Amino acid sequence: MDSIQETAFLNKIFDAAKIYKDNLVGRTFLFVFDGRGIEIIFKRVNFIHLCGVDSCHHPEEFFRRALFRTLKYNEIRYKYYQNERTANLKLDFINRLSSITSSDTFALEGIVTNTENYKFGITDCAITICLCNDTDKNGNSLPIYVIQSLRVGDCFNKSTSQFIVDAILSRPNCAKEYDKVEFIDKNYNLSSLPELYKNSLADSLR
């Protein structure tokens, strides 16, 4: 890769980091489907994995340097199962993550791939985010999901069940109430929210 290609690749990472921070980091997204819901957060430490690369820096520091556009190309390594083309493709699709939280999507259950099993995934038919439970500092599973993998395609044929997402709500991570409707199907009403989440609506959405 020559210096022009290296600069272009870095700029993709920088642009993706800004989109990731501006649209996803710091908010919790509730995806409602099949009479239930799952909550998803987008963590700073997950960004490097979504890029399809490794680095000499801790994931949090990698994200910070990408955000401030100080990351150097020689600080990036391709994962043993990835390559430059795959990483470029993943970076192109990171820009779609903000739309996957605010448009028509499908929830997938029981995704099985050659290397991993995922309880849930969300797809807009172009990309699929495969999810795993977040954990606390002691490694205990939490009832909230984070992205474990970003895959090209819809993964319908890799999942056991598929559901239309009825609504997507969001709230600041530090808040208890959902204050924004990111997406809602024209035939869905928030009065039909699962009981677990009805009391988590801000007054403006009741």
Side-chain angles (χ1 to χ4, degrees):
M1 184 180 284
D2 60 32
S3 60
I4 294 177
Q5 291 174 314
E6 290 177 2
T7 299
F9 185 73
L10 281 173
N11 283 334
K12 276 192 174 185
I13 292 178
F14 299 156
D15 293 344
K18 185 176 188 309
I19 290 171
Y20 191 78
K21 177 183 179 296
D22 290 349
N23 296 282
L24 303 170
V25 172
R27 293 192 73 81
T28 300
F29 295 84
L30 171 63
F31 285 75
V32 180
F33 60 94
D34 188 40
R36 50 188 164 146
I38 57 172
E39 293 178 300
I40 304 172
I41 56 173
F42 295 82
K43 302 173 77 171
R44 294 169 180 262
V45 294
N46 294 123
F47 177 75
I48 185 172
H49 179 68
L50 299 180
C51 293
V53 298
D54 276 326
S55 174
C56 54
H57 298 298
H58 182 275
E60 186 91 27
E61 178 63 13
F62 177 91
F63 181 69
R64 190 190 71 80
R65 289 180 180 235
L67 204 54
F68 288 96
R69 308 181 79 89
T70 59
L71 187 70
K72 302 291 191 294
Y73 185 79
N74 61 10
E75 298 170 339
I76 297 171
R77 299 188 301 269
Y78 295 111
K79 294 185 176 183
Y80 72 93
Y81 55 86
Q82 305 275 15
N83 54 38
E84 175 192 332
R85 179 181 175 278
T86 304
N88 266 293
L89 191 59
K90 285 201 167 191
L91 285 168
D92 288 338
F93 281 109
I94 286 178
N95 298 337
R96 292 185 65 100
L97 285 178
S98 58
S99 66
I100 213 172
T101 59
S102 59
S103 59
D104 286 295
T105 51
F106 294 88
L108 309 178
E109 190 168 17
I111 299 174
V112 178
T113 70
N114 292 332
T115 55
E116 294 284 348
N117 295 344
Y118 307 97
K119 187 171 182 180
F120 291 111
I122 302 293
T123 183
D124 65 357
C125 296
I127 60 170
T128 300
I129 54 174
C130 300
L131 307 168
C132 66
N133 286 92
D134 195 15
T135 56
D136 63 20
K137 61 182 179 181
N138 297 317
N140 300 311
S141 183
L142 298 173
I144 197 163
Y145 291 85
V146 294
I147 300 180
Q148 188 173 353
S149 178
L150 172 62
R151 293 176 174 265
V152 178
D154 57 37
C155 286
F156 282 128
N157 63 342
K158 293 181 172 65
S159 61
T160 57
S161 303
Q162 307 83 33
F163 309 93
I164 294 173
V165 171
D166 296 310
I168 306 170
L169 310 180
S170 73
R171 61 175 171 82
N173 288 347
C174 59
K176 294 183 179 180
E177 295 182 334
Y178 286 93
D179 61 357
K180 186 177 180 181
V181 177
E182 302 283 352
F183 165 82
I184 188 165
D185 185 89
K186 63 180 181 180
N187 297 316
Y188 190 77
N189 192 293
L190 291 182
S191 63
S192 300
L193 271 181
E195 289 297 325
L196 180 63
Y197 303 108
K198 280 186 177 178
N199 292 330
S200 299
L201 283 180
D203 289 341
S204 59
L205 299 183
R206 292 180 187 273

